[in-house]
Amino acid sequence: MNGRFWARYAWTGALESGVLIDVRAGRIVSLRAGCAPGDAVVLDGLVIPGLANAHSHAFHRALRGATQLGGGTFWTWRETMYRVAAALTPDRYLELARAVYAEMALAGITCVGEFHYLHHAPGGVAYDDPNAMGEALIEAAAQAGIRITLLDTCYLSSGFGAAPDETQLRFTDGSGGAWAERVSGLKERGHARVGAAVHSVRAVPADQLGVVAAWAAQRNAPIHAHVSEQPAENEGCLAAYGVTPTRLLADHGVLGPRATAVHATHLTPEDIALLGGSATTVCMCPTTERDLADGIGPAREVQAAGSPLSLGSDSQAVIDLFEEARAVELNERLRTRRRGHWTADALLRAATADGHASLGWPEAGRLKAGALADLVTVSLDSVRTAGPLHGAETAVFAATSADVSDVVAGGRVIVRHGVHQLVPDVAGALRQALAWPGERQLC
Ligand SMILES: [Zn+2]
């Protein structure tokens, strides 16, 4: 897509004003500050790069609100999540994911990392196209106008050698080799790339980890894994293998610059050194981690050790990357009773450039010549953002996703004045996707 945009303000690492942005074939070819708009499309607010949602399970959107009754833990929440998973077909998943990705687009997200493990029909039977569920997600992203990295997830056991239960039969391919064969059938396209994921050390036996790592290495593809979200996972891993989950992943070649450890909440000092020393990205999902009572991960420590930070909406309890970003700093304040651990610039970099890199899109997430033309406008005249502009601080610490007014993805306008241009009624699409007439609700 070609075009010319004018940003009243733009965050290019620094704050600039009156920025003309020329776009050719979906990429930024030039940015010039101090210009008048002329005939350019006016982006009237603070323009930041497209946001990368580095960890998503689209179908968890069905749980929003429904899991807030009563108490429980991560494990009781998972039972409800499994009931939703059991009800999905490829057609239903397309409808639901299209609506969820449209919600993400309205929030300024131009790329989603979908950690996808719901592969097969009930009972574990392969669909005619064994990648029908993954294809539904790729199509959903196209219909919502955003990019996707399908992180196709290997999920083989119920936990340290236990056989999959009935719901989990839909997740498993039986072996790492069968997983690799199926995933190799997925084709990348303009808006979609394919990466690998290890669900967790609970769900992938140690002797299969290397198969997934080798598949990703061969393709230079991203590889993600849930790591140490719960103390019980650490205890199970120590009992089964005598090492922590991070050590196990390191020993089987999973960690490295293409790798992302999701959550990384309960780490030892050695784990932190392994993640940082291997330049593994750590993806934190603070709104999910607080929703599930997981705990607060050592974000500062892993970054100081060498790990870039990325951010994800994970369980979709909230879809708002500004909220994820500020929660990283605010959680540290609560834990340490001191302020100023993360700058707004660093948090915005995590939500943009570093998030995109962790999803295998290093050419996205920056406002500079040569980058993909993903432009997100944060309105500066809402009740939250009106007043003096403070650059990244306004976006990270004052704005919410409701302040995103315009979204350009690859030079194409997908949200204009708060209205999605491809899915005009996103709330209606969500309502319809979450309650099919004449049938039981998803949750
Ligand atoms: Zn997750």
Side-chain angles (χ1 to χ4, degrees):
M1 301 285 283
N2 300 337
R4 173 174 285 182
F5 300 89
W6 180 82
R8 186 171 298 281
Y9 299 98
W11 179 77
T12 57
L15 182 62
E16 303 194 60
S17 61
V19 181
L20 265 183
I21 304 166
D22 278 311
V23 174
R24 295 282 176 278
R27 289 188 184 247
I28 297 171
V29 291
S30 68
L31 293 104
R32 283 170 288 155
C35 297
D39 60 355
V41 176
V42 172
L43 302 174
D44 196 1
L46 171 63
V47 173
I48 61 173
L51 300 168
N53 186 359
H55 188 69
S56 158
H57 308 283
F59 75 90
H60 292 191
R61 175 63 177 80
L63 301 167
R64 189 181 297 173
T67 53
Q68 301 299 343
L69 270 174
T73 64
F74 168 88
W75 306 102
T76 52
W77 170 88
R78 194 178 74 159
E79 291 306 311
T80 313
M81 185 267 281
Y82 277 10
R83 285 204 296 278
V84 175
L88 287 168
T89 63
D91 286 348
R92 286 179 165 186
Y93 208 4
L94 170 59
E95 184 185 15
L96 175 55
R98 171 180 177 266
V100 174
Y101 293 161
E103 181 184 353
M104 289 184 191
L106 288 177
I109 292 162
T110 51
C111 186
V112 61
E114 181 67 30
F115 197 104
H116 166 57
Y117 53 84
L118 186 57
H119 303 304
H120 304 296
V125 181
Y127 289 107
D128 290 344
D129 172 359
N131 286 308
M133 293 296 253
E135 290 289 351
L137 292 162
I138 289 172
E139 175 60 22
Q143 291 186 16
I146 67 172
R147 288 188 208 96
I148 184 170
T149 296
L150 188 74
L151 298 160
D152 196 295
T153 305
C154 186
Y155 193 120
L156 303 175
S157 79
S158 185
F160 302 108
D165 68 19
E166 199 186 328
T167 304
Q168 293 162 344
L169 285 175
R170 298 194 67 180
F171 309 163
T172 181
D173 293 293
S175 70
W179 168 86
E181 192 182 326
R182 179 181 55 73
V183 180
S184 297
L186 282 163
K187 300 274 180 293
E188 298 200 336
R189 51 214 88 168
H191 78 294
R193 292 181 181 167
V194 179
V198 167
H199 179 276
S200 58
V201 297
R202 289 179 276 122
V204 180
D207 63 3
Q208 303 296 299
L209 291 171
V211 179
V212 184
W215 184 93
Q218 222 171 35
R219 287 160 181 77
N220 202 26
I223 179 167
H224 289 216
H226 290 128
V227 179
S228 295
E229 182 177 5
Q230 292 290 324
E233 176 180 299
N234 291 354
E235 290 154 18
C237 192
L238 283 164
Y241 302 114
V243 293
T244 64
T246 298
R247 176 89 250 175
L248 193 70
L249 294 170
D251 288 350
H252 290 83
V254 175
L255 302 188
R258 282 179 296 97
T260 296
V262 180
H263 301 303
T265 310
H266 302 282
L267 300 182
T268 66
E270 191 206 0
D271 294 339
I272 291 169
L274 283 169
L275 292 168
S278 60
T280 298
T281 295
V282 168
C283 179
M284 297 220 162
C285 309
T287 68
T288 293
E289 288 148 10
R290 72 192 185 202
D291 184 54
L292 297 181
D294 287 342
I296 301 170
R300 276 303 310 157
E301 289 87 339
V302 289
Q303 211 204 29
S307 288
L309 175 73
S310 65
L311 299 165
S313 66
D314 190 7
S315 69
Q316 330 294 3
V318 174
I319 296 178
D320 184 341
L321 283 196
F322 303 127
E323 177 64 26
E324 303 293 345
R326 66 176 158 261
V328 172
E329 163 67 15
L330 298 179
N331 282 350
E332 289 290 340
R333 292 184 189 179
L334 284 172
R335 179 161 62 179
T336 62
R337 289 181 286 160
R338 291 175 60 97
R339 311 175 83 227
H341 305 271
W342 291 84
T343 65
D345 284 326
L347 292 169
L348 204 47
R349 202 160 49 242
T352 55
D354 290 350
H356 278 100
S358 81
L359 296 177
W361 297 88
E363 70 273 53
R366 287 184 176 85
L367 297 185
K368 67 170 192 181
L372 288 167
D374 301 340
L375 314 172
V376 170
T377 307
V378 179
S379 168
L380 297 174
D381 54 11
S382 79
V383 290
R384 290 165 295 276
T385 57
L389 172 62
H390 297 287
E393 288 76 10
T394 295
V396 171
F397 288 102
T400 73
S401 57
D403 297 314
V404 171
S405 58
D406 301 277
V407 180
V408 177
R412 175 192 195 190
V413 178
I414 59 167
V415 176
R416 186 65 172 152
H417 303 317
V419 178
H420 201 296
Q421 302 297 290
L422 308 171
V423 186
D425 178 10
V426 177
L430 284 162
R431 200 179 307 119
Q432 192 175 327
L434 295 171
W436 293 290
E439 300 182 45
R440 75 181 177 88
Q441 293 201 351
L442 261 182
C443 180

